[in-house]
């Protein structure tokens, strides 16, 4: 009798199902399964229900491509925001991080990824058609490309710049690069320091 | 408009539900939620269903207290095993590890925990009544206490020894302590080396 048969077939199935979660291997999945079955049956049932409801009701917003249970998400339906700026981000988490600054008042477009040929993510995989449609909005003056400063993020930004600069009425911008606030020069990577040096701002300019 | 409102209420609920999993904080939960909703809807639904079925059908085996979907688990129902030895382990994973050695042919009892007063796990929380009932089986000659050699595991073993030695017909034993096979002395902790030295076996004895 093998150890596999010894374990309840259902528990085995649950452990296998849990390994779909990113970063969860078989050992972690087993720990999770036993924890839910032994200690948190009620919360486990709640997780099962919420997961089902979410997967069945969540889809992309028709305007910004973010995930939402509404046809058009709350942010895109909010008419009090500034329609002249559109910020393109890679992920919903990036959107939330920017939104938490309370600095940006415009609208967003969420790519839900970045170009990465090694992972088979090409312009065809990303919602480029929807983005181009969104950029046709005549009230938009400026598009801020806020992809991450990683190799893939930079490549995506360059691709979008090439695509969007065909419309000369649109001002294209990127988030500034430099030393993070509160960061210590000693601990920063050379690329960041070099870039901060290259893009240095005059004292007068900053004080205005 | 706060960032929390910006995020879909349902997604927020899902992130919150996922934090019930051990070792999963809010950031990991968010990554899991977006991953399931964006990339693995089908497997996510499968996880939801398996979790529900498991929680609704899995309970403790009436004989060994292990988790199973049957009233009496497959191992306890197996009449070909050796009824004279009973091995007490802390968790189903410990049972599987011992079973994988194919060395032990007896039956098991799973405590589903260990004594740990700091976590409010006392003899009343563990299935001691069921264990005592199990030990009344007249075919049992030897009980192997295989709790882990941690402080809590040792305390649990001592508690069980005190409890079970009241029956003089039962032989009580523990797993041997010493240097793990393939282990290098240089990298072992002093306690293990001291214990291995104390419990050293004569060459003749080992060769028999």
């Amino acid at each position: 009798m093998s150890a596999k048969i010894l374990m309840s077939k259902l528990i085995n199935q649950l452990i296998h199902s849990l390994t779909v979660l990113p970063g969860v291997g078989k050992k972690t999945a087993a720990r999770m399964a036993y924890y839910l079955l032994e200690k948190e049956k009620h919360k486990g049932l709640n997780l099962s229900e919420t997961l089902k409801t979410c997967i069945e009701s969540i889809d992309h917003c028709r305007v910004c491509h973010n995930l939402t249970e509404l046809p058009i998400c709350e942010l895109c339906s909010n008419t009090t925001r500034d329609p002249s700026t559109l910020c393109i981000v890679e992920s919903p988490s990036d959107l939330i991080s920017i939104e938490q600054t309370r600095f940006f008042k415009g609208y967003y477009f969420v790519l839900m990824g970045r170009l990465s040929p090694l992972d088979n993510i090409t312009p065809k995989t990303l919602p480029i058609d929807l983005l181009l449609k969104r950029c046709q909005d005549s009230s938009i003056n400026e598009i801020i490309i806020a992809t991450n400063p990683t190799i893939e993020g930079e490549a995506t930004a360059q691709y979008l710049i090439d695509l969007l600069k065909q419309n000369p009425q649109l001002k294209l911008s990127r988030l500034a690069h430099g030393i993070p606030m509160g960061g210590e020069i000693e601990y920063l990577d050379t690329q960041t320091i070099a870039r901060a040096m290259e893009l240095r701002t005059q004292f007068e300019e900053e004080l205005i």
Side-chain angles (χ1 to χ4, degrees), chain A residues 1-33:
Chain A
M1 195 187 237
S2 85
K4 209 161 184 181
I5 299 170
L6 272 178
M7 208 195 286
S8 140
K9 270 176 215 152
L10 264 180
I11 299 183
N12 236 336
Q13 267 178 36
L14 177 59
I15 293 173
H16 181 76
S17 300
L18 281 164
T19 58
V20 69
L21 297 170
V24 174
K26 216 173 163 192
K27 283 233 165 187
T28 312
R31 197 160 61 95
M32 288 174 167

Side-chain angles (χ1 to χ4, degrees), chain A residues 57-106:
Chain A
S57 353
I58 301 270
D59 209 337
H60 294 286
C61 166
R62 288 183 205 161
V63 178
C64 74
H65 200 63
N66 199 356
L67 292 170
T68 174
E69 64 261 41
L70 306 164
I72 292 174
C73 75
E74 288 189 55
L75 200 150
C76 287
S77 317
N78 182 345
T79 51
T80 66
R81 296 184 73 102
D82 169 17
S84 71
T85 48
L86 181 75
C87 178
I88 305 178
V89 292
E90 290 181 20
S91 72
S93 328
D94 294 341
L95 184 157
I96 290 164
S97 295
I98 294 176
E99 199 56 18
Q100 276 169 342
T101 66
R102 297 174 182 271
F103 182 86
F104 180 70
K105 304 290 184 196

Side-chain angles (χ1 to χ4, degrees), chain A residues 29 47 50 85-86 88 96 100 107 109 162 182 187 196 200:
Chain A
L47 168 59
T50 315
T85 48
L86 181 75
I88 305 178
I96 290 164
Q100 276 169 342
Y107 291 93
F109 188 89
D162 290 345
Y187 298 112
R200 63 193 179 276

Side-chain angles (χ1 to χ4, degrees), chain A residues 125-168:
Chain A
T125 336
L126 296 179
I128 301 298
D129 288 350
L130 188 66
L131 173 62
L132 288 177
K133 196 179 143 204
R134 179 74 183 89
C135 293
Q136 278 165 10
D137 183 338
S138 59
S139 49
I140 299 176
N141 295 326
E142 180 177 357
I143 293 185
I144 302 169
I145 299 175
T147 54
N148 289 307
T150 57
I151 294 173
E152 286 103 344
E154 293 285 344
T156 310
Q158 198 50 55
Y159 174 81
L160 294 177
I161 290 166
D162 290 345
L163 202 71
L164 298 171
K165 75 179 175 194
Q166 291 165 20
N167 182 346

